[in-house]
């Protein structure tokens, strides 16, 4: 009997392990996130929950593999274009939003980029044909901006927001000895919509200086120097955009004299994480800033926020009234769900052709994506969305809000659910059930903004059931 009981227990587990191993074998070359997801399922104590966990991994993976057609709002690691890379750092730029879908035309004149520099690295001077909002995701360093006869340097650290005006020459160093510098960049092109370019003056062969695009005679006249001397300067550098530097070089760069900012508004870094969070509980914290609080953002019509969602917790469904959010995962893993309105294309086409104004039912489809470090998810204005953190690690999501002026965010669950403001008669008519039943549902969640996620809620319910059984004498 004991042997049969053991076999009965082991057989389903063996099937689960076999299915998991097959999944791992098929995904090891193509999807490391899928492999990692399935590996974590083995830590789930309940057998049924382990099965559900593996199925979720398969479902999310198939969603993402069909991704571009069915989910134009998600951008994974393969969506980045590598602009520059050496052993000491890299610069990657996300593909244009409108290439994915016409639904993203509203943000196509914005680009996202990620810059990473290894410890003790110099990042070459350059300028961009775009306004930049820079957020320091990790590390410390020094950033220097040049303007005519002035040079302005700032020490930067995690949580800092900085603005780099279009056309301004900028360079930086990671002076840490053991920590990488990671920076997220929002770029707003000023020349060609959606198109950005990086220009190097102080450079050589790699990166190439644009000086060598001019003829020798023009350069000789401009610098009043023979080409033989110019060539030694403009064709020497071959180390790339990221260069390893010594302690003495770091000291010299850090101690150089700096002048005051030449423009009206301050360009001092603004640290988002040093502000009190707008929402905070055991399930997460939200830090956010708009142009009203931060001079750097005043005329850009952009806001910046970062949500730190505790493991197995979630951010309540919510939507923004005017702002489209470009959400980038800084650290951690989880998934994002969004409701998208969907009308029958056939019916819409028929109405457009005939001019008919008949009823057109709105249907909603779920857009769901598993996200991890570097993933980007676009949440258009008016679209309700929720974010859930995976087990064992927090999910940190950085958001750049586009067209943020007069924007409001409305939460759709929890103690601050905007639907609680409906009067009782409206609740009954809207949901088609008595108002008391509606209020019972709307008031059941005691938390605001951040709350237990699906997995944590199931665990808490199971603990509650066990307590009931215990006290009932079972």
């Amino acid at each position: 009997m004991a042997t049969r009981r053991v076999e009965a227990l082991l057989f389903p587990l063996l099937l689960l392990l076999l299915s998991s191993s097959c999944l791992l074998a098929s995904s090891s070359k193509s999807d490391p996130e899928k492999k990692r997801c399935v590996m974590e399922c083995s830590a789930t104590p309940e057998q049924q929950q382990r099965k559900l966990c593996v199925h979720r991994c398969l479902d999310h993976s198939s969603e993402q593999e069909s991704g571009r057609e069915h989910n134009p709002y998600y951008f994974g690691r393969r969506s980045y274009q590598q602009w520059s890379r050496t052993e000491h750092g890299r610069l990657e730029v996300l593909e244009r939003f409108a290439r994915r879908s016409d639904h993203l035309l509203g943000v196509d004149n914005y680009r996202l980029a990620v810059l990473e520099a290894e410890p003790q690295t110099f990042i070459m001077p350059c300028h961009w044909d775009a306004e930049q909002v820079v957020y320091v995701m990790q590390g410390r360093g020094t950033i220097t901006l040049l303007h005519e006869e002035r040079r302005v340097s700032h020490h930067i650290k995690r949580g800092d927001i900085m603005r780099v005006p279009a056309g301004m020459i900028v360079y930086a160093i990671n002076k840490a000895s053991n920590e990488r510098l990671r920076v997220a960049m929002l770029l707003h092109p000023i020349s060609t919509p959606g198109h950005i370019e990086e220009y190097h003056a102080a450079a050589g062969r790699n990166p190439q200086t644009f000086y060598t695009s001019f003829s020798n005679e023009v350069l000789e006249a401009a610098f009043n120097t023979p080409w033989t001397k110019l060539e030694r300067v403009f064709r020497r550098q071959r180390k790339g955009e990221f260069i390893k530097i010594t302690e003495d070089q770091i000291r010299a760069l850090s101690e150089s004299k700096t002048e005051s900012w030449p423009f009206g508004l301050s360009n001092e870094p603004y640290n988002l994480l040093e502000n009190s969070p707008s929402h905070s509980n055991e399930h997460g914290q939200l830090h956010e800033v708009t142009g009203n609080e931060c001079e750097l953002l005043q005329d850009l019509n952009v806001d910046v926020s970062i949500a730190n969602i505790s493991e197995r917790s979630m951010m309540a469904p919510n939507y923004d009234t005017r702002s489209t959010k470009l959400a980038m995962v800084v650290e951690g893993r989880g998934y994002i769900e969004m409701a998208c309105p969907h009308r029958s294309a056939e019916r819409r086409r028929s109405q457009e052709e005939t001019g008919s104004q008949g009823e057109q039912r709105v249907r909603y489809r779920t857009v769901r994506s598993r996200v991890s470090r570097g993933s980007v998810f676009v949440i258009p204005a008016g679209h309700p969305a929720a974010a859930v953190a995976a087990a064992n690690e927090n999910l940190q999501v950085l958001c750049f809000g586009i067209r943020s002026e007069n924007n409001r965010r409305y939460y759709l669950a929890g103690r601050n659910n905007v639907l609680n403001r409906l009067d009782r008669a409206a609740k009954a008519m809207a949901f088609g059930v008595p108002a008391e039943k509606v209020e019972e549902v709307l008031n059941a969640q005691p938390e605001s903004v951040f709350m237990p996620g699906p997995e944590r809620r199931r665990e808490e319910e199971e603990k509650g059931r066990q307590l009931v059984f215990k006290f009932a004498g079972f």
Side-chain angles (χ1 to χ4, degrees):
M1 288 292 289
T3 304
R4 288 180 181 176
R5 192 178 298 114
V6 170
E7 288 175 351
L9 289 170
L10 287 177
F11 185 69
L13 179 60
L14 181 60
L15 285 177
L16 174 66
L17 290 173
L18 284 171
S19 63
S20 300
S21 62
C22 292
L23 172 61
L24 288 174
S26 65
S27 65
S28 59
K29 293 183 180 179
S30 60
D31 194 346
E33 279 302 314
K34 186 197 297 183
K35 179 178 179 180
R36 186 176 179 181
C37 175
V38 173
M39 290 291 288
E40 287 177 352
C41 290
S42 61
T44 307
E46 292 278 333
Q47 178 186 323
Q48 189 60 30
Q49 293 301 325
R50 276 198 302 272
K51 288 182 179 179
L52 289 172
C53 180
V54 171
H55 285 305
R56 279 199 299 272
C57 292
L58 283 164
D59 291 342
H60 290 321
S61 187
S62 61
E63 282 174 14
Q64 289 191 39
E65 282 165 5
S66 62
R68 293 198 171 206
E69 182 180 350
H70 298 101
N71 186 357
Y73 304 97
Y74 168 82
F75 296 80
R77 292 299 310 161
R78 294 180 183 177
S79 302
Y80 286 88
Q81 303 161 354
Q82 188 170 289
W83 278 41
S84 178
R85 186 183 186 96
T86 75
E87 61 181 306
H88 305 298
R90 62 189 176 94
L91 171 66
E92 295 180 336
V93 179
L94 195 71
E95 66 176 290
R96 287 185 62 171
F97 293 109
R99 281 190 181 173
R100 184 66 61 87
S101 168
D102 288 346
H103 294 303
L104 304 182
L105 280 170
V107 292
D108 193 45
N109 198 29
Y110 292 85
R111 303 292 297 274
L112 288 177
V114 174
L115 181 147
E116 294 188 359
E118 297 296 327
Q120 298 183 319
T121 293
F122 176 72
I123 303 164
M124 292 283 285
C126 71
H127 74 265
W128 294 77
D129 60 349
E131 292 283 339
Q132 295 180 56
V133 177
V134 173
Y135 180 83
V136 182
M137 298 186 286
Q138 176 186 342
R140 292 174 176 267
T142 300
I143 186 169
T144 301
L145 299 93
L146 305 183
H147 175 71
E148 295 178 351
E149 296 180 358
R150 302 193 183 189
R151 180 179 64 252
V152 182
S153 294
H154 298 288
H155 297 298
I156 54 174
K157 61 182 182 297
R158 178 174 169 264
D160 276 349
I161 299 169
M162 271 204 69
R163 178 176 176 177
V164 180
M168 183 162 286
I169 295 175
V170 58
Y171 59 95
I173 58 170
N174 179 4
K175 55 187 178 182
S177 58
N178 57 3
E179 186 177 19
R180 183 178 293 169
L181 177 67
R182 292 176 58 226
V183 171
M185 301 159 59
L186 173 71
L187 300 108
H188 186 198
I190 59 166
S191 180
T192 306
H195 183 81
I196 54 174
E197 290 294 349
E198 182 186 23
Y199 298 84
H200 291 276
R205 289 183 181 271
N206 180 23
Q208 182 185 4
T209 172
F210 57 68
Y211 279 128
T212 54
S213 299
F214 294 96
S215 61
N216 294 357
E217 57 265 30
V218 166
L219 290 176
E220 288 177 333
F223 286 94
N224 193 28
T225 302
W227 172 246
T228 52
K229 288 187 177 180
L230 292 173
E231 188 176 24
R232 294 190 203 114
V233 174
F234 293 144
R235 296 190 180 277
R236 177 103 178 152
Q237 177 59 264
R238 299 169 183 264
K239 295 181 179 179
E241 197 165 336
F242 302 88
I243 301 173
K244 183 75 171 177
I245 52 178
T246 66
E247 291 283 357
D248 289 341
Q249 290 170 323
I250 290 173
R251 198 157 33 249
L253 288 164
S254 301
E255 294 174 354
S256 61
K257 184 181 176 183
T258 184
E259 291 88 9
S260 59
W261 183 245
F263 304 110
L265 298 176
S266 168
N267 199 46
E268 286 288 326
Y270 179 98
N271 194 277
L272 184 59
L273 301 179
E274 290 177 356
N275 273 3
S276 297
S278 55
H279 301 280
S280 180
N281 58 30
E282 65 174 299
H283 301 291
Q285 302 85 36
L286 176 64
H287 297 264
E288 47 192 348
V289 66
T290 68
N292 294 328
E293 301 90 32
C294 178
E295 287 185 350
L296 300 172
L297 305 175
Q298 273 185 6
D299 63 330
L300 295 178
N301 205 6
V302 167
D303 63 36
V304 184
S305 64
I306 188 161
N308 184 13
I309 307 171
S310 303
E311 59 100 16
R312 295 188 303 162
S313 296
M314 65 178 283
M315 192 170 183
N318 65 87
Y319 69 92
D320 287 89
T321 57
R322 301 178 65 87
S323 176
T324 292
K325 300 298 185 188
L326 309 181
M328 177 186 290
V329 176
V330 176
E331 291 290 353
R333 294 174 304 103
Y335 62 91
I336 293 177
E337 288 189 359
M338 183 171 73
C340 280
H342 175 69
R343 285 182 167 86
S344 165
E346 235 176 76
R347 174 149 195 163
R348 185 169 59 246
R349 200 161 42 244
S350 171
Q351 288 183 340
E352 287 171 355
E353 289 170 358
T354 63
S356 166
Q357 296 298 316
E359 179 187 359
Q360 188 177 160
R361 286 184 63 190
V362 179
R363 297 183 182 276
Y364 300 94
R365 68 184 181 94
T366 305
V367 173
R368 177 172 176 158
S369 289
R370 186 173 292 276
V371 295
S372 58
R373 177 167 154 169
S375 299
V376 170
F377 199 93
V378 181
I379 306 173
H383 286 53
V388 182
N392 305 321
E393 57 183 315
N394 291 2
L395 176 64
Q396 296 179 36
V397 182
L398 169 69
C399 282
F400 293 106
I402 309 302
R403 290 185 299 279
S404 62
E405 188 176 3
N406 300 321
N407 179 64
R408 301 283 297 176
R409 176 175 294 167
Y410 291 125
Y411 290 93
L412 302 167
R415 200 170 65 241
N416 60 342
N417 184 349
V418 67
L419 296 184
N420 286 326
R421 298 296 183 185
L422 286 169
D423 57 53
R424 289 175 60 82
K427 287 174 183 172
M429 287 185 284
F431 288 97
V433 296
E436 310 84 66
K437 297 291 186 184
V438 177
E439 289 169 350
E440 184 181 340
V441 171
L442 296 183
N443 297 326
Q445 176 57 260
E447 301 288 357
S448 296
V449 182
F450 299 102
M451 52 199 59
E455 187 177 336
R456 181 172 287 191
R457 181 175 174 275
R458 283 193 297 269
E459 183 182 279
E460 290 174 355
E461 286 181 340
E462 180 61 30
K463 286 179 181 177
R465 281 194 294 269
Q466 290 175 2
L467 282 174
V468 170
F469 290 151
K470 181 179 179 181
F471 286 115
F474 290 101

